[in-house]
Amino acid sequence: MLYQLHEWQRAFMGPMSYFAQASAKMFSEPGSLLAQWPGAARWAAGCELMYRLGKDYEKPAFGIHEIQAHGHTVAVVEQTALELPFCRLRRFKRYSDNPEVIEAMRRQPVVLVVAPLSGHHATLLRDTVRTLLRDHKVYVTDWVDARMVPAEAGMFRLDDYVAYVERFIRHIGASDLHVVSVCQPTVPVLAAVSLMAARGEETPRSLVMMGGPIDPRRSPTSVNDLATTQPLSWFEANLIHTVPANYPGRGRKVYPGFLQHAGFVAMNPGRHLSSHWDFYLDLLRGDLDDAEAHRRFYDEYNAVLDMPAGYYLDTISTVFQQCLLPRGLWDVAGERVDPGAITRSALLTIEGELDDISGLGQTEAAHALCTGIPAKRHAHRVIEGAGHYGIFSGRRWRETVYPQVRDFIRHHAARPPRRTPQRKG
């Protein structure tokens, strides 16, 4: 009933929030007579704040239409390279009419960005994708809101996530591919590449893993504590709900986005309260640039998706509670995950010094597991002063992290020679 109650509240709040939006415009537009009334600015600011607190936040668009590359403006077109029930593989195709730019882009490495399926949409990595497009051909996993997936499509579990990553790698072509995984997908990406290597399949040239829980037993954070202090039955009883009838996925069990959003806000309530108060003051002062920055941030932050229940519960159990990957005990669809089977992919791990989601050492743990990769193809970086989001978004990402990622990918763009076993006797 909780999901249905939320929908009733949303239906009730909808007209009120849009009335607040209309009022804000009437009392703030320069050509409006109401904007000349005493106290109009205060009323308009209050109404817009009310509107933004009560409105629905739909999935934002990536909105990447052009970039600056090789000294030219390059057009970007978003395409769907492969569509599966729970995920769309997006490609950001670059276009130019300059022959030199076209030739330079043709020779650039191919990158698959595996976005998290952990609440926010893949558009949270917009800055990551836009920056990578300067020097790479870029694909990204765009996960579908589970409430929009009909129940006939079946369940989606952690094993299915691993299978999706394998399928995307094969679709793009592993021989010239570099995979960048951000946060949660570091675990299924490492599993997918391990399984492919164990079967003798081609694996990506490099793996870049950023701020992920490879071994959450290291430097546990409040996120890790929450996942381990309650039994799995508690998560199933309190966080799993049924999609109501007004969505295509009606009847599907999910971890609803509105509950995830409440959890995000509860982690730093004072920070969000202060941010909204500053937004109100910016509107009063007429500081339109800061007000617009607030809108852009919360348009992304408040847009959350429903996660499939099976996938969420599997992640809690397999990744955080049992820690099966670092213990060498994880089986996916009957196959044992052995990162030691990876021999021909380079590995770069990146962590933020101040990461409060994946603590220091959790991502670095991948190196101890990937024993088959030669030492010279391992690299680890700790970004000073960076929190979780700072390692893949914002100025620190663009100026400090990205150059290291770009140079690592370039250095390992050439496929290493295949090692042949030594004959005995």
Side-chain angles (χ1 to χ4, degrees), residues 114-311:
V114 184
L117 177 53
S118 55
H120 290 105
H121 294 275
T123 50
L124 189 68
L125 302 187
R126 182 184 296 102
D127 198 19
T128 315
V129 172
R130 183 187 291 113
T131 308
L132 284 165
L133 279 167
R134 300 176 191 168
D135 308 287
H136 308 87
K137 307 168 188 175
V138 179
Y139 293 79
V140 65
T141 58
D142 189 10
W143 300 100
V144 178
D145 191 331
R147 67 183 178 183
M148 305 305 292
V149 182
E152 303 83 66
M155 295 186 66
F156 184 83
R157 310 192 69 108
L158 184 56
D159 284 11
D160 298 306
Y161 193 123
V162 175
Y164 269 42
V165 173
E166 291 183 39
R167 185 163 178 182
F168 293 148
I169 291 174
R170 294 190 193 102
H171 180 82
I172 300 170
S175 61
D176 296 313
L177 180 64
H178 304 264
V179 178
V180 176
S181 53
V182 180
C183 190
Q184 164 269 325
T186 56
V187 174
V189 165
L190 185 56
V193 177
S194 299
L195 293 172
M196 295 177 74
R199 300 187 200 110
E201 295 185 56
E202 194 81 37
T203 59
R205 295 191 178 190
S206 72
L207 305 174
V208 179
M209 299 189 168
M210 309 172 67
I214 299 295
D215 189 348
R217 298 172 298 181
R218 299 190 182 188
S219 304
T221 65
S222 58
V223 175
N224 306 134
D225 293 339
L226 173 63
T228 55
T229 53
Q230 300 288 351
L232 192 65
S233 58
W234 182 90
F235 292 94
E236 187 168 10
N238 291 278
L239 301 182
I240 303 304
H241 298 274
T242 303
V243 176
N246 54 316
Y247 292 106
R250 57 186 175 273
R252 178 180 295 283
K253 296 289 187 179
V254 297
Y255 178 18
F258 66 87
L259 284 182
Q260 299 171 58
H261 181 262
F264 298 153
V265 173
M267 290 178 66
N268 293 289
R271 182 185 303 173
H272 293 289
L273 181 62
S274 176
S275 179
H276 291 308
W277 175 248
D278 289 342
F279 173 66
Y280 173 77
L281 295 179
D282 288 336
L283 292 174
L284 283 182
R285 291 190 293 258
D287 191 342
L288 301 184
D289 288 341
D290 283 354
E292 184 58 28
H294 175 95
R295 294 188 190 98
R296 286 197 303 268
F297 175 81
Y298 279 99
D299 282 349
E300 192 74 56
Y301 188 84
N302 292 341
V304 288
L305 51 72
D306 292 1
M307 282 193 278
Y311 159 78

Side-chain angles (χ1 to χ4, degrees), residues 67-74 94-96 98-109 132-137 402 406 410:
I67 59 165
Q68 295 298 316
H70 306 284
H72 292 79
T73 298
V74 176
R94 301 171 299 173
Y95 291 90
S96 175
N98 186 303
E100 294 180 359
V101 174
I102 294 173
E103 180 60 23
M105 293 192 300
R106 187 186 65 80
R107 295 194 303 266
Q108 289 176 338
L132 284 165
L133 279 167
R134 300 176 191 168
D135 308 287
H136 308 87
K137 307 168 188 175
Y402 172 68
R406 178 197 60 209
R410 285 179 179 174

Side-chain angles (χ1 to χ4, degrees), residues 11-62:
F12 175 74
M13 291 292 295
M16 297 178 61
S17 65
Y18 287 109
F19 175 76
Q21 181 190 33
S23 297
K25 290 183 177 181
M26 286 190 297
F27 282 87
S28 63
E29 289 294 327
S32 172
L33 291 177
L34 296 178
Q36 311 305 317
W37 286 16
R42 189 174 300 276
W43 176 259
C47 285
E48 180 164 357
L49 181 60
M50 182 183 301
Y51 161 67
R52 294 198 61 81
L53 290 175
K55 72 183 289 286
D56 279 340
Y57 287 86
E58 301 295 334
K59 176 189 173 184
F62 277 100

